[in-house]
Amino acid sequence: MNIQFTPAAEKFIRRLVMFDGGPGYGLSLLVSPGGCSGMSAEFSVHPAPREGEQAFDFPSFKLFLPAQSRLLLDGVTIDFKETATSTGFSFIDPKAKACGCSSTQSVVELPELPVA
């Protein structure tokens, strides 16, 4: 599987796993087509992959992905952006075709986390 993370996304995932789980936990990420804007995502922290998920070990975290997410994320770079008006993952897909109403990136709103 070819998926990349920016340093900002890696840092966010590490913090999320640390605050919501602990050592050995991973991020379960369900990605689905998000219409014109690209992709939408749901995520949670778990100690092990759930039924139907495959575990991927990255140097600083574990990622648990179901089959649909693996297909959608192949070749994608995941970024994390924090601005005055939104905070979330941004999916950068070089294969995506932009439509007239948006770019090839989508931002997924995230809950606020405690500051470390």
Side-chain angles (χ1 to χ4, degrees), residues 22-61:
Y25 279 64
L27 182 71
S28 177
L29 182 61
L30 173 63
V31 179
S32 56
C36 179
S37 65
M39 295 181 224
S40 62
E42 295 177 27
F43 58 90
S44 54
V45 175
H46 296 279
R50 294 181 289 183
E51 186 175 336
E53 292 181 328
Q54 183 176 350
F56 294 90
D57 289 320
F58 289 90
S60 58
F61 60 89

Side-chain angles (χ1 to χ4, degrees), residues 48-95:
R50 294 181 289 183
E51 186 175 336
E53 292 181 328
Q54 183 176 350
F56 294 90
D57 289 320
F58 289 90
S60 58
F61 60 89
K62 292 180 185 179
L63 186 65
F64 308 142
L65 297 173
Q68 177 181 345
S69 298
R70 292 191 303 267
L71 292 172
L72 290 170
L73 291 174
D74 192 35
V76 170
T77 298
I78 298 178
D79 192 10
F80 177 77
K81 298 194 184 236
E82 196 167 12
T83 68
T85 58
S86 72
T87 301
F89 284 123
S90 175
F91 299 94
I92 305 156
D93 185 356
K95 304 177 305 277

Side-chain angles (χ1 to χ4, degrees), residues 2-16:
N2 180 21
I3 183 172
Q4 296 180 10
F5 297 87
T6 65
E10 287 181 3
K11 179 180 177 182
F12 175 75
I13 293 169
R14 282 192 316 269
R15 289 183 64 213
L16 187 64

Side-chain angles (χ1 to χ4, degrees), residues 98-109:
C99 62
C101 63
S102 72
S103 70
T104 59
Q105 297 183 14
S106 65
V107 175
V108 178
E109 294 298 320

